[in-house]
Amino acid sequence: MRMVKQLHLAVMEEARNRWDQLTKPPGSLGKLEEIGIRLAGIQGTVFPSVERRAVVVMCGDHGVTAEGVSAFPSEVTGLMMQNFAGGKAGVNVLARQMGADVHVVDVGSRCEVEIPGVLRKKIKSGTDNLAVGPAMTRDEALAALEVGRETARNLSADGVQVIALGEMGIGNTTPSSAIAAVLTGHPLAELVGRGTGIDENTLSLKGQVIQRALDVNQPNPQDALDVLAKVGGLEIAGLAGVVLGAAEAGTAVLVDGVIAAAAALTAYRMEPAVGAYLFASHLSQEPAHRVMLAAMELSPLLQLEMRLGEGTGAVLAMPLLEAATRLVREMATFADLGL
């Protein structure tokens, strides 16, 4: 694994001084100033840019859907991959508005059809049922991580300056809640959400299934890769790899909802230095999301009561990053006014 570089502290201090010299009271632009200063540290310039933007939508299926934890069948994953490729999904609409390219990667779906526009990097056709044994082997998890790292490296080499995390995989809030429970130590009962819109009975079943998975697999909270392999998902592993690869390449990452947060937290526990490259886009309705963001010391920029996934919330935060870059570049300083 390549090293994740520390942020450029001297540049950040220079950027902080620049923000303080702009024609406004110090700190009056709040989080926008924090964003601008951190982007300066990431890119090594007082005047960072996020003009080149991308969304990576990792796709995978889950054996645990056999337990009845989702309101939709696994076939929907493949259908949505076609929808992404056709530019008709929610994330496509928002990405066009925000000037971001959408990259769809099949790292572990059950779909056997070649879909033009979908990068086929399948490690296996869905995870195994985590309620009865490990979701995947350690080697499979590592392979999915590498798919993500390679994706991020390629995008960064192509000039992309910010990568949003997106995903698709029916059933994936179940492994996300499991990961959250293990890596944060938070009570499982307070982490399980409704995902695809399940009813009260299914919500109760979902909690029981996750508890069974934890009991059966005994994931080691001190070993994030063990947690990922035993109770994770292939698309979650792929996104964790995107986080690692982006940070290694010096590229900012926008974290989406609960599944993206599970991936980011996994990467963060593998390499804490990636935390400096992460921006929390929004606060999901899924209860585990807030807990995982707190574990990474991230504060969400938006609160829109969303739980779609796909990277939709992350894309919506892109204009805030752009606003920070434009303010520091285009606002006058007091010296410009002769003061």
Side-chain angles (χ1 to χ4, degrees):
M1 184 182 293
R2 289 170 56 190
M3 292 291 292
V4 175
K5 296 179 181 178
Q6 298 296 316
L7 301 192
H8 298 266
L9 298 181
V11 174
M12 291 177 73
E13 187 59 31
E14 188 180 348
R16 187 173 287 107
N17 291 336
R18 169 77 183 184
W19 278 95
D20 287 345
Q21 292 165 18
L22 298 178
T23 50
K24 60 172 184 60
S28 59
L29 283 169
K31 287 186 180 181
L32 290 174
E33 298 190 25
E34 297 172 19
I35 290 169
I37 292 167
R38 193 138 62 88
L39 285 173
I42 290 170
Q43 296 184 8
T45 173
V46 173
F47 302 108
S49 170
V50 290
E51 289 184 6
R52 292 291 309 281
R53 311 165 191 175
V55 192
V56 175
V57 182
M58 285 281 172
C59 305
D61 276 310
H62 298 266
V64 73
T65 55
E67 302 293 331
V69 294
S70 175
F72 293 98
S74 291
E75 289 75 16
V76 172
T77 302
L79 294 174
M80 283 302 300
M81 286 164 53
Q82 295 178 40
N83 203 21
F84 295 135
K88 295 295 187 179
V91 71
N92 299 107
V93 175
L94 296 175
R96 279 194 294 273
Q97 180 185 350
M98 307 305 170
D101 296 325
V102 178
H103 301 267
V104 185
V105 183
D106 180 3
V107 69
S109 82
R110 292 176 182 168
C111 179
E112 297 303 327
V113 179
E114 292 274 358
I115 303 173
V118 174
L119 185 62
R120 193 176 173 90
K121 293 284 187 177
K122 198 189 299 286
I123 303 303
K124 62 188 293 188
S125 295
T127 56
D128 299 325
N129 186 350
L130 56 83
V132 297
M136 54 189 140
T137 67
R138 198 174 177 96
D139 284 346
E140 288 166 346
L142 282 169
L145 278 166
E146 186 53 35
V147 168
R149 290 179 69 229
E150 180 185 22
T151 301
R153 285 197 300 264
N154 290 342
L155 289 173
S156 298
D158 195 38
V160 169
Q161 297 154 315
V162 58
I163 299 174
L165 305 182
E167 42 60 45
M168 180 63 216
I170 294 299
N172 60 10
T173 58
T174 295
S176 298
S177 296
I179 289 170
V182 179
L183 293 184
T184 70
H186 204 80
L188 177 61
E190 299 176 12
L191 298 173
V192 183
R194 295 187 182 275
T196 50
I198 56 178
D199 60 25
E200 200 65 36
N201 289 337
T202 308
L203 181 65
S204 176
L205 170 66
K206 184 177 178 179
Q208 295 169 25
V209 168
I210 297 172
Q211 186 59 61
R212 197 187 330 149
L214 300 180
D215 293 341
V216 166
N217 290 293
Q218 293 293 305
N220 179 3
Q222 304 306 315
D223 182 354
L225 181 59
D226 183 66
V227 178
L228 182 63
K230 287 178 175 175
V231 296
L234 289 157
E235 81 277 39
I236 296 172
L239 286 184
V242 170
V243 172
L244 292 167
E248 290 161 3
T251 302
V253 175
L254 272 166
V255 181
D256 191 41
V258 70
I259 294 99
L265 180 57
T266 300
Y268 179 77
R269 289 297 168 82
M270 290 178 175
E271 175 49 79
V274 305
Y277 293 83
L278 302 176
F279 295 85
S281 61
H282 75 115
L283 181 63
S284 168
Q285 281 191 308
E286 287 290 310
H289 194 219
R290 183 191 300 271
V291 174
M292 288 191 285
L293 292 182
M296 294 181 281
E297 299 183 358
L298 297 178
S299 176
L301 299 173
L302 301 168
Q303 187 163 344
L304 300 171
E305 299 182 0
M306 295 172 64
R307 54 178 174 83
L308 174 58
E310 302 180 4
T312 48
V315 173
L316 283 170
M318 286 179 174
L320 296 178
L321 271 61
E322 181 183 4
T325 65
R326 291 177 69 95
L327 285 164
V328 75
R329 184 183 301 273
E330 299 177 22
M331 273 185 77
T333 65
F334 285 109
D336 292 331
L337 299 184
L339 296 176

